[in-house]
Amino acid sequence: MTEPTTTSPATGYDLIHGYLRTLDASPGVYRMLDADSRVLYVGKARNLRARVSNYARPGHHSPRIARMISETASMMFLTTRTETEALLLEQNLIKQLKPRYNVLLRDDKSFPNILVTKDHAYPQIKKHRGAKKQKGNYYGPFAGAGAVNRTLNQLQRVFLLRNCSDSDFETRTRPCLQYQIKRCSGPCCGLISEQDYAATVRDAEQFLQGRTKGIQQSLAAQMQAASEAMEFERAAALRDRIKALTQVQSAQGINPQNTAEADVIALHTDGGQACVQVFFIRANQNWGNHDYYPRVSGDEDPSEVMEAFVGQFYATREPPRMLILSHGVDNDDLMAQALAEKAGRKVEIVIPQRGEKAELVQNALRNARESLARKMSETATQGRLLKGLAEAFDLPRVPQRIEVYDNSHIQGAHAVGAMVVAGPDGFDKNQYRKFNIRGDDLTPGDDFGMMKEVLTRRFQRLLKEDPDRTQGTWPDLLLIDGGAGQVSAVQQIMDELGVADIPMVGVAKGLDRDAGKEEFYRTGKPVMALRHNDPVLYFIQRMRDEVHRFAIGTHRAKRTKAIGATPLDDVPGVGAARKRALLAHFGSAKAVARANLADLRAVEGVSGNMAQTIYDYFHENG
């Protein structure tokens, strides 16, 4: 690695030209830094010397690149063995450093899958997001929870698979509502044999693999056999399943016939903004789409935007066997090779001109165009609201990041803090944060103490991770749910942390606690109100309602988890299967705690050593 030279006063073209003496033709990654050592740009090169020499020649650069060169005060270089390694390293550094002049994918959400479990005699089908640690078959990705839920709904109607948890399954004594509305075959109560249930699971997995024709033929044959055997109730049930499957297939008429597995990626740019639509095609089915708005400057070529998006999008995701793009990328063979190395199999990149794949691209392009038009309209409206907010509260500048805080608890139990973020693009849900209140010295229900813990943790982290406030993570305005007391308490906290310069507004319900009569409190200024029909007031109400929703939802999830928890969860070596066996044998966690060693050893799947571990845990811990 070549470190930047700190003694040279040169900047821009002269500085870059000075590096040419030390560079060779190796592939690698380069970083351009400003005078404060902040990364301006990260790029890759097949030949570092040739690539950097382009920056050393003035007169043929776009305004964005020329501005970047003029701000460059130093450079860093890292050579790699191959250009493919350079491409992968470049995308990782972009995601990590978020340079100002790179095209940047800002949304980094994970996508859900459908999981068919394989650790139970009667497999469960459910939505799954995150690491694939549980034993079973995973199908996806789906574009979002809505697409997963629709598919799960179809699978339950056609195949009658259970979606209840294993603990619910083990404790049921009669069928649940899902059975009554013909969404489950009732395996929990022995209403279907293990062999027959396994057959429906195989059919469901064939459906998820796109092999629906064989399933329909099999169901039709079973219906005919049941009818001939005068099992008319079974024949009617099979008929209903065939009807449901036919409805599913007719509703999926837009699905491709000749494209089994692909991501369709379409780019549309307008007015210096960009929208990328991604459609997920799996098993010849459209499993939903998602739109992205990468950060662009407006003068990039479509190929540059597309290459940056593809590289960053798949930096943390497994690519499919085919990418169908609306625009080509520079060195598409290199990109395909890099993705193939990541996936461990061949990945093909195509830019279709005709046929079914071209129709898929045109459909994605139309969605990208319409999504960007809506986004630009919403952004313009949001910009007016932010400007009105700055005028209403005499803010030093139009806020680009507003953080709204609230707490939720029931008499101090399961207390959580919540933060939501709003800005020029509306609510930024990727930036939402929840805080489990862990102050042992807090009085139950002490809202001031909870808010102090939340804000202290939030701003201590900001001071550590972004002390210079250059990464866009610091708020321009804090909205606090409360009146003069809360504002005074929060101001004291901010003074102690040394960040008292951040504007803050307290929002109280006001007279009769009616929406529309809110009062606003600021440090050192008189209480104020806004006109009942002021759009800024509605904007503040939406932000307050959103933080309430997020805080209450987080609190409910924590409370539900606590209700379902048992002491067995903390016993070393006791996982879901052993927990299930222990509860089935003894009936409750209390009974397990009172059991002697001989009784514990009698439980199926519990060895002598494991029985000793369980016995010691409960007797050593009272």
Side-chain angles (χ1 to χ4, degrees):
M1 179 186 292
T2 305
E3 297 293 341
T5 303
T6 57
T7 57
S8 172
T11 58
Y13 296 106
D14 292 338
L15 175 129
I16 295 171
H17 191 273
Y19 282 106
L20 296 178
R21 295 190 300 270
T22 62
L23 293 175
D24 56 22
S26 301
V29 173
Y30 59 93
R31 279 175 273 183
M32 307 176 85
L33 297 86
D34 66 10
D36 296 321
S37 297
R38 291 176 298 216
V39 179
L40 298 170
Y41 185 80
V42 174
K44 70 176 185 310
R46 178 178 300 171
N47 180 326
L48 277 173
R49 179 178 174 81
R51 186 73 183 91
V52 173
S53 68
N54 289 334
Y55 292 114
R57 295 193 296 269
H60 66 288
H61 301 293
S62 68
R64 174 178 65 99
I65 298 301
R67 188 166 60 252
M68 177 185 74
I69 291 172
S70 69
E71 295 178 22
T72 299
S74 62
M75 294 184 70
M76 297 179 68
F77 304 93
L78 181 63
T79 59
T80 58
R81 292 179 300 171
T82 65
E83 191 180 1
T84 304
E85 287 185 9
L87 173 62
L88 295 172
L89 178 59
E90 176 201 32
Q91 301 305 332
N92 287 332
L93 287 174
I94 290 172
K95 291 181 73 68
Q96 175 187 344
L97 300 172
K98 298 179 174 56
R100 189 194 319 166
Y101 287 98
N102 281 97
V103 175
L104 187 63
L105 175 60
R106 291 176 286 190
D107 189 348
D108 196 25
K109 64 171 284 187
S110 62
F111 293 105
N113 291 267
I114 285 179
L115 168 62
V116 180
T117 63
K118 295 297 181 183
D119 54 359
H120 196 280
Y122 293 92
Q124 174 193 10
I125 186 166
K126 63 180 181 179
K127 178 171 59 180
H128 177 87
R129 193 191 293 268
K132 298 178 180 179
K133 296 181 179 179
Q134 188 172 353
K135 186 179 179 181
N137 295 334
Y138 294 84
Y139 298 92
F142 289 80
V148 169
N149 292 336
R150 285 192 297 272
T151 303
L152 286 174
N153 184 46
Q154 295 164 358
L155 290 169
Q156 286 179 269
R157 288 172 56 204
V158 177
F159 303 106
L160 311 182
L161 301 182
R162 73 177 182 96
N163 64 354
C164 59
S165 67
D166 290 348
S167 58
D168 284 343
F169 181 92
E170 300 294 346
T171 56
R172 291 213 67 85
T173 57
R174 60 180 181 177
C176 67
L177 180 62
Q178 291 291 95
Y179 175 81
Q180 306 297 335
I181 62 175
K182 299 181 180 180
R183 296 293 180 90
C184 180
S185 53
C188 57
C189 300
L191 300 179
I192 184 174
S193 69
E194 187 174 332
Q195 293 77 14
D196 289 343
Y197 189 86
T200 61
V201 171
R202 285 195 298 271
D203 287 344
E205 295 198 82
Q206 285 185 337
F207 173 84
L208 288 168
Q209 294 163 5
R211 293 180 283 181
T212 57
K213 187 175 180 180
I215 300 171
Q216 198 156 4
Q217 291 174 346
S218 174
L219 291 174
Q222 293 176 48
M223 182 182 70
Q224 182 65 29
S227 180
E228 291 173 355
M230 296 189 193
E231 298 176 357
F232 298 118
E233 187 173 344
R234 172 172 164 76
L238 289 165
R239 179 203 61 203
D240 292 343
R241 291 171 64 184
I242 293 171
K243 184 179 178 181
L245 184 60
T246 303
Q247 290 174 345
V248 169
Q249 290 170 322
S250 62
Q252 293 179 342
I254 60 170
N255 291 335
Q257 300 300 311
N258 302 312
T259 306
E261 179 184 333
D263 284 351
V264 183
I265 304 177
L267 165 68
H268 179 73
T269 59
D270 186 19
Q273 299 187 51
C275 176
V276 178
Q277 278 279 345
V278 183
F279 279 72
F280 301 94
I281 307 296
R282 299 293 185 276
N284 295 97
Q285 301 174 40
N286 181 353
W287 283 359
N289 64 296
H290 196 280
D291 49 354
Y292 295 89
Y293 302 91
R295 187 188 72 190
V296 297
S297 299
D299 59 357
E300 299 94 343
D301 292 329
S303 60
E304 181 182 354
V305 179
M306 182 64 80
E307 179 178 340
F309 178 85
V310 170
Q312 293 174 48
F313 186 75
Y314 294 108
T316 55
R317 301 177 178 92
E318 182 178 344
R321 298 182 184 278
M322 179 180 293
L323 304 185
I324 304 175
L325 310 182
S326 64
H327 297 77
V329 299
D330 295 334
N331 304 313
D332 56 354
D333 56 339
L334 175 65
M335 180 65 75
Q337 182 181 347
L339 295 176
E341 288 187 10
K342 178 177 177 59
R345 51 172 165 72
K346 182 180 179 182
V347 175
E348 186 179 2
I349 296 178
V350 299
I351 299 90
Q353 303 300 316
R354 62 182 68 85
E356 179 186 81
K357 293 181 177 62
E359 291 178 8
L360 290 172
V361 168
Q362 289 303 315
N363 181 41
L365 274 171
R366 183 178 67 255
N367 279 270
R369 184 168 58 250
E370 294 171 355
S371 296
L372 184 59
R374 287 194 298 270
K375 183 76 169 180
M376 293 174 71
S377 175
E378 293 167 2
T379 300
T381 302
Q382 190 77 0
R384 289 194 294 270
L385 289 172
L386 292 172
K387 184 177 179 181
L389 191 69
E391 293 172 353
F393 295 116
D394 299 323
L395 302 179
R397 60 180 178 273
V398 176
Q400 299 300 299
R401 181 185 174 99
I402 303 171
E403 293 185 356
V404 195
Y405 291 88
D406 192 18
N407 299 323
S408 183
H409 59 91
I410 295 179
Q411 295 181 340
H414 312 304
V416 295
M419 177 190 84
V420 305
V421 177
D425 296 326
F427 291 112
D428 187 353
K429 295 191 176 183
N430 288 327
Q431 295 293 315
Y432 286 16
R433 295 292 181 268
K434 54 189 176 184
F435 302 83
N436 287 316
I437 305 297
R438 29 181 208 240
D440 297 329
D441 56 342
L442 289 178
T443 303
D446 180 5
D447 285 324
F448 289 166
M450 294 178 191
M451 186 59 69
K452 179 175 182 179
E453 178 178 332
V454 168
L455 290 172
T456 299
R457 286 163 58 186
R458 168 65 180 155
F459 283 95
Q460 281 182 344
R461 182 165 185 169
L462 281 178
L463 288 166
K464 178 181 178 181
E465 296 181 351
D466 186 18
D468 298 326
R469 307 189 187 186
T470 59
Q471 298 178 13
T473 55
W474 282 76
D476 301 309
L477 174 66
L478 298 184
L479 283 184
I480 307 297
D481 184 35
Q486 282 87 345
V487 168
S488 176
V490 171
Q491 188 63 55
Q492 181 180 351
I493 298 167
M494 305 299 277
D495 289 339
E496 292 173 0
L497 293 170
V499 290
D501 57 316
I502 298 176
M504 174 179 46
V505 175
V507 185
K509 283 288 181 67
L511 186 64
D512 300 326
R513 300 186 63 80
D514 286 340
K517 297 181 180 180
E518 284 84 357
E519 295 177 340
F520 301 99
Y521 294 82
R522 297 167 294 171
T523 304
K525 295 183 180 180
V527 62
M528 63 171 288
L530 296 172
R531 298 190 322 273
H532 73 280
N533 61 348
D534 192 329
V536 173
L537 177 60
Y538 297 146
F539 180 40
I540 294 172
Q541 289 172 349
R542 289 204 309 274
M543 290 190 287
R544 183 194 60 202
D545 292 345
E546 175 68 0
V547 76
H548 282 343
R549 180 199 66 78
F550 185 57
I552 291 171
T554 303
H555 166 70
R556 284 175 178 165
K558 185 177 181 180
R559 190 176 72 228
T560 301
K561 184 177 180 180
I563 291 172
T566 75
L568 293 174
D569 295 329
D570 299 324
V571 181
V574 174
R578 282 200 179 109
K579 177 182 171 183
R580 193 163 55 240
L582 288 164
L583 291 174
H585 186 90
F586 292 102
S588 69
K590 277 189 177 180
V592 177
R594 292 195 297 266
N596 59 38
L597 270 174
D599 291 336
L600 289 170
R601 291 193 188 100
V603 179
E604 184 179 355
V606 176
S607 65
N609 289 337
M610 191 70 247
Q612 187 69 53
T613 299
I614 298 170
Y615 183 86
D616 291 344
Y617 175 83
F618 285 111
H619 287 75
E620 289 175 4
N621 290 277

Short mmCIF file of all heavy atoms in Angstrom, two decimals, residues 339-382:
data_model
loop_
_atom_site.label_atom_id
_atom_site.label_comp_id
_atom_site.label_asym_id
_atom_site.label_seq_id
_atom_site.Cartn_x
_atom_site.Cartn_y
_atom_site.Cartn_z
N LEU A 339 -19.30 -11.91 -9.38
CA LEU A 339 -20.52 -12.45 -8.77
C LEU A 339 -20.47 -13.97 -8.72
O LEU A 339 -20.96 -14.59 -7.77
CB LEU A 339 -21.74 -11.97 -9.55
CG LEU A 339 -22.01 -10.46 -9.51
CD1 LEU A 339 -23.20 -10.11 -10.40
CD2 LEU A 339 -22.26 -9.99 -8.09
N ALA A 340 -19.89 -14.59 -9.77
CA ALA A 340 -19.78 -16.05 -9.79
C ALA A 340 -18.87 -16.54 -8.66
O ALA A 340 -19.15 -17.56 -8.02
CB ALA A 340 -19.24 -16.51 -11.14
N GLU A 341 -17.78 -15.83 -8.41
CA GLU A 341 -16.89 -16.20 -7.31
C GLU A 341 -17.62 -16.11 -5.97
O GLU A 341 -17.43 -16.94 -5.09
CB GLU A 341 -15.65 -15.31 -7.30
CG GLU A 341 -14.68 -15.60 -8.43
CD GLU A 341 -13.39 -14.80 -8.30
OE1 GLU A 341 -13.20 -14.17 -7.23
OE2 GLU A 341 -12.58 -14.82 -9.24
N LYS A 342 -18.46 -15.10 -5.83
CA LYS A 342 -19.21 -14.92 -4.58
C LYS A 342 -20.24 -16.03 -4.40
O LYS A 342 -20.40 -16.57 -3.31
CB LYS A 342 -19.90 -13.56 -4.58
CG LYS A 342 -20.74 -13.30 -3.35
CD LYS A 342 -21.34 -11.91 -3.39
CE LYS A 342 -22.24 -11.68 -2.18
NZ LYS A 342 -21.55 -11.82 -0.91
N ALA A 343 -20.94 -16.39 -5.51
CA ALA A 343 -22.01 -17.38 -5.42
C ALA A 343 -21.50 -18.81 -5.49
O ALA A 343 -22.21 -19.74 -5.08
CB ALA A 343 -23.02 -17.14 -6.55
N GLY A 344 -20.31 -19.03 -6.01
CA GLY A 344 -19.78 -20.37 -6.17
C GLY A 344 -20.39 -21.12 -7.34
O GLY A 344 -20.37 -22.35 -7.38
N ARG A 345 -20.92 -20.40 -8.31
CA ARG A 345 -21.50 -20.99 -9.51
C ARG A 345 -21.57 -19.90 -10.58
O ARG A 345 -21.29 -18.73 -10.30
CB ARG A 345 -22.91 -21.54 -9.24
CG ARG A 345 -23.82 -20.53 -8.56
CD ARG A 345 -25.24 -21.00 -8.45
NE ARG A 345 -26.01 -20.20 -7.52
CZ ARG A 345 -26.41 -18.95 -7.74
NH1 ARG A 345 -26.09 -18.35 -8.88
NH2 ARG A 345 -27.11 -18.31 -6.83
N LYS A 346 -21.96 -20.27 -11.78
CA LYS A 346 -22.00 -19.33 -12.89
C LYS A 346 -23.12 -18.31 -12.68
O LYS A 346 -24.23 -18.65 -12.28
CB LYS A 346 -22.22 -20.07 -14.21
CG LYS A 346 -22.23 -19.16 -15.43
CD LYS A 346 -22.44 -19.96 -16.71
CE LYS A 346 -22.47 -19.02 -17.93
NZ LYS A 346 -22.73 -19.76 -19.18
N VAL A 347 -22.82 -17.05 -12.98
CA VAL A 347 -23.81 -15.97 -12.98
C VAL A 347 -23.74 -15.29 -14.33
O VAL A 347 -22.67 -14.83 -14.76
CB VAL A 347 -23.55 -14.95 -11.85
CG1 VAL A 347 -24.52 -13.78 -11.95
CG2 VAL A 347 -23.65 -15.61 -10.48
N GLU A 348 -24.87 -15.21 -15.00
CA GLU A 348 -24.93 -14.64 -16.35
C GLU A 348 -25.56 -13.24 -16.30
O GLU A 348 -26.54 -13.03 -15.59
CB GLU A 348 -25.77 -15.55 -17.25
CG GLU A 348 -25.79 -15.13 -18.71
CD GLU A 348 -26.62 -16.07 -19.56
OE1 GLU A 348 -27.21 -17.03 -19.00
OE2 GLU A 348 -26.71 -15.85 -20.78
N ILE A 349 -24.97 -12.30 -17.04
CA ILE A 349 -25.52 -10.94 -17.15
C ILE A 349 -25.98 -10.74 -18.58
O ILE A 349 -25.19 -10.92 -19.52
CB ILE A 349 -24.47 -9.89 -16.76
CG1 ILE A 349 -24.09 -10.03 -15.29
CG2 ILE A 349 -25.00 -8.49 -17.03
CD1 ILE A 349 -23.03 -9.05 -14.83
N VAL A 350 -27.25 -10.37 -18.77
CA VAL A 350 -27.79 -10.17 -20.12
C VAL A 350 -28.49 -8.82 -20.18
O VAL A 350 -29.06 -8.34 -19.20
CB VAL A 350 -28.77 -11.30 -20.51
CG1 VAL A 350 -28.06 -12.64 -20.53
CG2 VAL A 350 -29.96 -11.35 -19.57
N ILE A 351 -28.42 -8.20 -21.37
CA ILE A 351 -29.16 -6.98 -21.69
C ILE A 351 -30.02 -7.31 -22.90
O ILE A 351 -29.57 -7.19 -24.04
CB ILE A 351 -28.22 -5.78 -21.96
CG1 ILE A 351 -27.36 -5.47 -20.73
CG2 ILE A 351 -29.05 -4.55 -22.32
CD1 ILE A 351 -26.05 -6.20 -20.70
N PRO A 352 -31.26 -7.78 -22.69
CA PRO A 352 -32.06 -8.32 -23.80
C PRO A 352 -32.58 -7.23 -24.73
O PRO A 352 -32.83 -6.09 -24.32
CB PRO A 352 -33.22 -9.01 -23.07
CG PRO A 352 -33.35 -8.25 -21.80
CD PRO A 352 -31.96 -7.85 -21.41
N GLN A 353 -32.73 -7.59 -25.99
CA GLN A 353 -33.24 -6.67 -27.00
C GLN A 353 -34.64 -7.06 -27.49
O GLN A 353 -35.37 -6.24 -28.03
CB GLN A 353 -32.28 -6.62 -28.21
CG GLN A 353 -30.86 -6.22 -27.83
CD GLN A 353 -30.81 -4.85 -27.19
OE1 GLN A 353 -31.46 -3.90 -27.66
NE2 GLN A 353 -30.02 -4.72 -26.12
N ARG A 354 -35.00 -8.34 -27.31
CA ARG A 354 -36.31 -8.80 -27.76
C ARG A 354 -36.72 -10.02 -26.95
O ARG A 354 -35.91 -10.58 -26.20
CB ARG A 354 -36.28 -9.14 -29.25
CG ARG A 354 -35.33 -10.28 -29.61
CD ARG A 354 -35.30 -10.54 -31.09
NE ARG A 354 -34.70 -9.43 -31.81
CZ ARG A 354 -33.39 -9.28 -31.98
NH1 ARG A 354 -32.55 -10.18 -31.49
NH2 ARG A 354 -32.90 -8.25 -32.62
N GLY A 355 -37.99 -10.40 -27.10
CA GLY A 355 -38.46 -11.61 -26.43
C GLY A 355 -38.96 -11.35 -25.02
O GLY A 355 -39.16 -10.21 -24.58
N GLU A 356 -39.15 -12.45 -24.30
CA GLU A 356 -39.74 -12.38 -22.96
C GLU A 356 -38.90 -11.56 -22.00
O GLU A 356 -39.43 -10.76 -21.22
CB GLU A 356 -39.91 -13.81 -22.42
CG GLU A 356 -40.49 -13.87 -21.02
CD GLU A 356 -40.51 -15.29 -20.48
OE1 GLU A 356 -39.46 -15.76 -20.00
OE2 GLU A 356 -41.58 -15.92 -20.54
N LYS A 357 -37.58 -11.73 -22.05
CA LYS A 357 -36.71 -11.00 -21.13
C LYS A 357 -36.78 -9.50 -21.38
O LYS A 357 -36.74 -8.70 -20.44
CB LYS A 357 -35.27 -11.52 -21.24
CG LYS A 357 -35.09 -12.96 -20.77
CD LYS A 357 -33.65 -13.40 -20.89
CE LYS A 357 -33.45 -14.82 -20.35
NZ LYS A 357 -34.25 -15.82 -21.10
N ALA A 358 -36.88 -9.10 -22.66
CA ALA A 358 -37.02 -7.67 -22.98
C ALA A 358 -38.34 -7.13 -22.43
O ALA A 358 -38.41 -5.98 -21.96
CB ALA A 358 -36.93 -7.46 -24.49
N GLU A 359 -39.39 -7.94 -22.46
CA GLU A 359 -40.68 -7.51 -21.90
C GLU A 359 -40.57 -7.33 -20.39
O GLU A 359 -41.16 -6.40 -19.82
CB GLU A 359 -41.76 -8.54 -22.24
CG GLU A 359 -42.12 -8.60 -23.73
CD GLU A 359 -43.16 -9.66 -24.03
OE1 GLU A 359 -43.71 -10.23 -23.05
OE2 GLU A 359 -43.44 -9.92 -25.21
N LEU A 360 -39.83 -8.23 -19.74
CA LEU A 360 -39.62 -8.08 -18.30
C LEU A 360 -38.90 -6.77 -17.99
O LEU A 360 -39.25 -6.07 -17.03
CB LEU A 360 -38.80 -9.27 -17.77
CG LEU A 360 -39.48 -10.63 -17.75
CD1 LEU A 360 -38.48 -11.72 -17.39
CD2 LEU A 360 -40.63 -10.65 -16.75
N VAL A 361 -37.88 -6.44 -18.79
CA VAL A 361 -37.15 -5.20 -18.57
C VAL A 361 -38.05 -3.99 -18.80
O VAL A 361 -38.02 -3.02 -18.03
CB VAL A 361 -35.91 -5.14 -19.49
CG1 VAL A 361 -35.31 -3.74 -19.50
CG2 VAL A 361 -34.86 -6.15 -19.04
N GLN A 362 -38.88 -4.04 -19.84
CA GLN A 362 -39.77 -2.91 -20.13
C GLN A 362 -40.77 -2.71 -18.99
O GLN A 362 -41.09 -1.57 -18.62
CB GLN A 362 -40.51 -3.15 -21.45
CG GLN A 362 -39.63 -3.04 -22.68
CD GLN A 362 -38.92 -1.69 -22.76
OE1 GLN A 362 -39.53 -0.63 -22.54
NE2 GLN A 362 -37.62 -1.72 -23.07
N ASN A 363 -41.26 -3.80 -18.43
CA ASN A 363 -42.17 -3.70 -17.29
C ASN A 363 -41.47 -3.08 -16.09
O ASN A 363 -42.01 -2.21 -15.40
CB ASN A 363 -42.70 -5.08 -16.93
CG ASN A 363 -43.68 -5.06 -15.78
OD1 ASN A 363 -44.53 -4.17 -15.70
ND2 ASN A 363 -43.58 -6.03 -14.89
N ALA A 364 -40.22 -3.50 -15.84
CA ALA A 364 -39.46 -2.94 -14.73
C ALA A 364 -39.13 -1.46 -14.97
O ALA A 364 -39.18 -0.64 -14.04
CB ALA A 364 -38.17 -3.74 -14.52
N LEU A 365 -38.82 -1.11 -16.22
CA LEU A 365 -38.54 0.29 -16.55
C LEU A 365 -39.77 1.17 -16.32
O LEU A 365 -39.66 2.30 -15.83
CB LEU A 365 -38.08 0.41 -18.00
CG LEU A 365 -36.59 0.22 -18.28
CD1 LEU A 365 -36.33 0.15 -19.77
CD2 LEU A 365 -35.78 1.35 -17.65
N ARG A 366 -40.93 0.66 -16.70
CA ARG A 366 -42.16 1.45 -16.49
C ARG A 366 -42.38 1.69 -15.00
O ARG A 366 -42.74 2.80 -14.58
CB ARG A 366 -43.35 0.71 -17.10
CG ARG A 366 -44.66 1.50 -16.99
CD ARG A 366 -45.82 0.78 -17.64
NE ARG A 366 -46.18 -0.45 -16.93
CZ ARG A 366 -45.90 -1.66 -17.35
NH1 ARG A 366 -45.27 -1.84 -18.51
NH2 ARG A 366 -46.26 -2.71 -16.65
N ASN A 367 -42.15 0.67 -14.19
CA ASN A 367 -42.30 0.83 -12.75
C ASN A 367 -41.27 1.81 -12.19
O ASN A 367 -41.58 2.61 -11.30
CB ASN A 367 -42.16 -0.53 -12.06
CG ASN A 367 -43.42 -1.34 -12.09
OD1 ASN A 367 -44.25 -1.26 -11.19
ND2 ASN A 367 -43.58 -2.12 -13.14
N ALA A 368 -40.03 1.76 -12.71
CA ALA A 368 -38.99 2.68 -12.26
C ALA A 368 -39.36 4.12 -12.60
O ALA A 368 -39.18 5.04 -11.78
CB ALA A 368 -37.64 2.31 -12.88
N ARG A 369 -39.86 4.33 -13.81
CA ARG A 369 -40.26 5.67 -14.24
C ARG A 369 -41.39 6.23 -13.37
O ARG A 369 -41.35 7.38 -12.92
CB ARG A 369 -40.68 5.62 -15.70
CG ARG A 369 -41.01 6.98 -16.31
CD ARG A 369 -41.12 6.89 -17.82
NE ARG A 369 -42.14 5.91 -18.22
CZ ARG A 369 -41.86 4.74 -18.79
NH1 ARG A 369 -40.61 4.39 -19.03
NH2 ARG A 369 -42.83 3.90 -19.13
N GLU A 370 -42.39 5.39 -13.11
CA GLU A 370 -43.53 5.85 -12.30
C GLU A 370 -43.12 6.07 -10.84
O GLU A 370 -43.56 7.03 -10.21
CB GLU A 370 -44.66 4.82 -12.39
CG GLU A 370 -45.28 4.71 -13.78
CD GLU A 370 -46.23 3.54 -13.91
OE1 GLU A 370 -46.34 2.76 -12.94
OE2 GLU A 370 -46.86 3.40 -14.98
N SER A 371 -42.27 5.19 -10.32
CA SER A 371 -41.82 5.34 -8.93
C SER A 371 -41.00 6.61 -8.75
O SER A 371 -41.16 7.32 -7.74
CB SER A 371 -40.98 4.12 -8.51
OG SER A 371 -41.76 2.95 -8.51
N LEU A 372 -40.13 6.92 -9.72
CA LEU A 372 -39.31 8.13 -9.60
C LEU A 372 -40.18 9.38 -9.68
O LEU A 372 -39.93 10.36 -8.96
CB LEU A 372 -38.23 8.15 -10.68
CG LEU A 372 -37.24 9.31 -10.60
CD1 LEU A 372 -36.52 9.32 -9.26
CD2 LEU A 372 -36.23 9.25 -11.73
N ALA A 373 -41.21 9.36 -10.54
CA ALA A 373 -42.11 10.51 -10.64
C ALA A 373 -42.82 10.76 -9.31
O ALA A 373 -42.93 11.90 -8.84
CB ALA A 373 -43.12 10.29 -11.76
N ARG A 374 -43.29 9.67 -8.69
CA ARG A 374 -43.94 9.83 -7.38
C ARG A 374 -42.96 10.32 -6.33
O ARG A 374 -43.28 11.19 -5.52
CB ARG A 374 -44.54 8.49 -6.94
CG ARG A 374 -45.78 8.06 -7.70
CD ARG A 374 -46.49 6.91 -6.99
NE ARG A 374 -45.64 5.73 -6.92
CZ ARG A 374 -45.62 4.77 -7.83
NH1 ARG A 374 -46.38 4.86 -8.91
NH2 ARG A 374 -44.84 3.72 -7.68
N LYS A 375 -41.75 9.77 -6.37
CA LYS A 375 -40.73 10.17 -5.39
C LYS A 375 -40.37 11.65 -5.52
O LYS A 375 -40.26 12.36 -4.50
CB LYS A 375 -39.48 9.31 -5.60
CG LYS A 375 -38.36 9.57 -4.61
CD LYS A 375 -38.66 8.94 -3.28
CE LYS A 375 -37.45 8.96 -2.37
NZ LYS A 375 -37.73 8.34 -1.06
N MET A 376 -40.22 12.12 -6.74
CA MET A 376 -39.88 13.53 -6.95
C MET A 376 -41.01 14.44 -6.48
O MET A 376 -40.77 15.51 -5.91
CB MET A 376 -39.56 13.76 -8.43
CG MET A 376 -38.28 13.06 -8.89
SD MET A 376 -37.97 13.16 -10.67
CE MET A 376 -37.54 14.91 -10.82
N SER A 377 -42.25 14.01 -6.70
CA SER A 377 -43.38 14.80 -6.23
C SER A 377 -43.42 14.84 -4.71
O SER A 377 -43.61 15.90 -4.10
CB SER A 377 -44.69 14.20 -6.77
OG SER A 377 -45.80 14.88 -6.24
N GLU A 378 -43.19 13.68 -4.08
CA GLU A 378 -43.19 13.63 -2.62
C GLU A 378 -42.03 14.43 -2.04
O GLU A 378 -42.17 15.10 -1.01
CB GLU A 378 -43.11 12.18 -2.15
CG GLU A 378 -44.35 11.37 -2.48
CD GLU A 378 -44.13 9.87 -2.30
OE1 GLU A 378 -43.00 9.50 -1.88
OE2 GLU A 378 -45.06 9.10 -2.57
N THR A 379 -40.87 14.37 -2.71
CA THR A 379 -39.70 15.09 -2.22
C THR A 379 -39.93 16.59 -2.27
O THR A 379 -39.53 17.33 -1.35
CB THR A 379 -38.46 14.72 -3.06
OG1 THR A 379 -38.22 13.32 -2.96
CG2 THR A 379 -37.23 15.47 -2.57
N ALA A 380 -40.59 17.06 -3.34
CA ALA A 380 -40.89 18.50 -3.44
C ALA A 380 -41.81 18.93 -2.31
O ALA A 380 -41.61 19.98 -1.68
CB ALA A 380 -41.51 18.80 -4.80
N THR A 381 -42.84 18.12 -2.03
CA THR A 381 -43.76 18.43 -0.93
C THR A 381 -43.03 18.40 0.40
O THR A 381 -43.21 19.27 1.25
CB THR A 381 -44.92 17.41 -0.92
OG1 THR A 381 -45.59 17.46 -2.18
CG2 THR A 381 -45.90 17.72 0.19
N GLN A 382 -42.19 17.37 0.59
CA GLN A 382 -41.43 17.24 1.82
C GLN A 382 -40.49 18.41 2.00
O GLN A 382 -40.31 18.92 3.12
CB GLN A 382 -40.65 15.92 1.82
CG GLN A 382 -40.01 15.56 3.14
CD GLN A 382 -41.00 15.00 4.14
OE1 GLN A 382 -42.18 14.88 3.83
NE2 GLN A 382 -40.54 14.69 5.32
#
